[in-house]
Amino acid sequence: MIQRDMPPVLLTGATGRIGRLVIDQLLAAGVPVRALAHRPETAATLPAAVEVFTGDLTEPKSLDPALRGAGAVLLVWTAPPQTAAAVVERLASHVRRVVFLSSPHQTPHPFFQQPNPMAVLHADIERLIASTGLESTIIRPGMLASNSLAWWAPAIRTDEVVRWPYGAAETAPVDDRDVAAVAALTLHRDGYAGADYVLTGPESLTQAAQVEVIGNALDRRLGFEEMTPDEFRTLTEGTAPSSVVDMLLAAWRAAVGQPAYLTTAVADILGTAPGTFRQWATDHATAFTEGP
């Protein structure tokens, strides 16, 4: 049951991979939820209990109706950087708490230390938030488990082989549901002001091993074939900015021979062990074969 005497939480990026899961977590906890939507039709699939507001991060004034009376905001930055300062200023004038979905750009591991325009933007927004005096919590997911759907599901649906660069690169995929649970908790419970969390899965796995785990979940034997960086650039041409492709290739190259960075933050916050990649793949097996 929604607690109507509690200030609502506003989510930007509400229909994204993490935001949509955060909504479910908040509603289950009885927290009133608002969603910011660039166009109302994009929020048509959200639960009926969610109050949808039309607004755009590129037009800071458009956020005012959604912010009025809210208690906290989950900030997922999905816009160019030019309006970030004005948006953060508006958040500070309306709400007490902001939880920012950032990246592990401060993490001392080669995988996270490659040139990355998004990390630069995240660092700038963090500085803006810190300058306002807002109660803030920074959440830094590592590699999301769901990335494997975008990357490998098309090949898995049509073939028994995944071709990809740097199969020996190790990461620690974090279950999107764990990231959402941490975000939801820090949005509606006290005690997390000033906290900064890097969220990872519980184990270091090479990319080739992750494909094998997915195959086991599907009860299929999937092969992995190494692709050159130039082949990967050709594969992604027109579907991803070249700066993102270069960042990924550099990160994977730096991660070869390096065990992935692991933290206990998920367990520390939630009191339960983080989900394994194997469990995530099992739970999402249908998405690999039939689509989302």
Side-chain angles (χ1 to χ4, degrees):
M1 181 178 295
I2 301 299
Q3 302 175 46
R4 297 300 177 186
D5 58 342
M6 176 184 293
V9 169
L10 172 66
L11 279 72
T12 68
T15 59
R17 283 185 284 173
I18 301 301
R20 182 62 185 81
L21 295 171
V22 174
I23 287 175
D24 291 340
Q25 293 277 344
L26 290 171
L27 292 178
V31 179
V33 177
R34 293 177 177 177
L36 187 74
H38 178 56
R39 297 183 305 276
E41 60 269 24
T42 63
T45 60
L46 296 179
V50 176
E51 190 178 8
V52 178
F53 287 80
T54 302
D56 194 318
L57 293 173
T58 65
E59 300 177 12
K61 289 183 180 179
S62 71
L63 275 62
D64 286 353
L67 287 168
R68 200 166 292 121
V73 172
L74 174 66
L75 180 60
V76 183
W77 193 263
T78 57
Q82 289 82 357
T83 57
V87 167
V88 171
E89 182 179 351
R90 255 178 163 72
L91 299 185
S93 67
H94 285 87
V95 302
R96 179 172 62 95
R97 177 183 303 174
V98 62
V99 174
F100 178 45
L101 193 67
S102 187
S103 53
H105 57 84
Q106 298 176 337
T107 303
H109 186 283
F111 182 78
F112 299 114
Q113 291 302 312
Q114 307 311 306
N116 183 345
M118 184 58 69
V120 173
L121 173 59
H122 285 163
D124 288 342
I125 294 174
E126 289 169 30
R127 283 191 286 271
L128 290 170
I129 292 171
S131 70
T132 64
L134 274 164
E135 288 184 12
S136 64
T137 306
I138 310 298
I139 296 178
R140 307 179 187 278
M143 189 64 71
L144 293 173
S146 62
N147 286 346
S148 61
L149 274 172
W151 292 342
W152 302 327
I156 290 171
R157 290 178 196 135
T158 59
D159 204 349
E160 299 294 319
V161 176
V162 171
R163 299 188 70 246
W164 204 252
Y166 297 110
E170 297 190 38
T171 62
V174 59
D175 191 320
D176 301 46
R177 295 169 294 191
D178 286 336
V179 178
V182 169
L185 199 66
T186 57
L187 279 163
H188 76 89
R189 287 192 186 174
D190 292 331
Y192 300 100
D196 189 317
Y197 301 112
V198 176
L199 307 182
T200 74
E203 56 190 338
S204 178
L205 295 168
T206 66
Q207 296 198 97
Q210 291 170 40
V211 170
E212 182 179 2
V213 167
I214 295 167
N216 291 338
L218 300 177
D219 198 22
R220 289 167 55 186
R221 186 179 180 87
L222 297 178
F224 187 98
E225 291 183 2
E226 192 76 18
M227 174 186 286
T228 68
D230 284 342
E231 288 173 330
F232 184 70
R233 290 188 177 94
T234 300
L235 176 70
T236 55
E237 189 172 358
T239 63
S242 59
S243 60
V244 173
V245 173
D246 289 342
M247 177 274 293
L248 285 171
L249 288 169
W252 289 327
R253 182 173 60 247
V256 172
Q258 297 268 358
Y261 186 81
L262 302 177
T263 76
T264 62
V266 170
D268 294 342
I269 298 166
L270 301 180
T272 56
T276 65
F277 186 68
R278 183 177 306 277
Q279 186 61 58
W280 181 89
T282 299
D283 293 344
H284 293 80
T286 301
F288 281 100
T289 57
E290 301 177 8

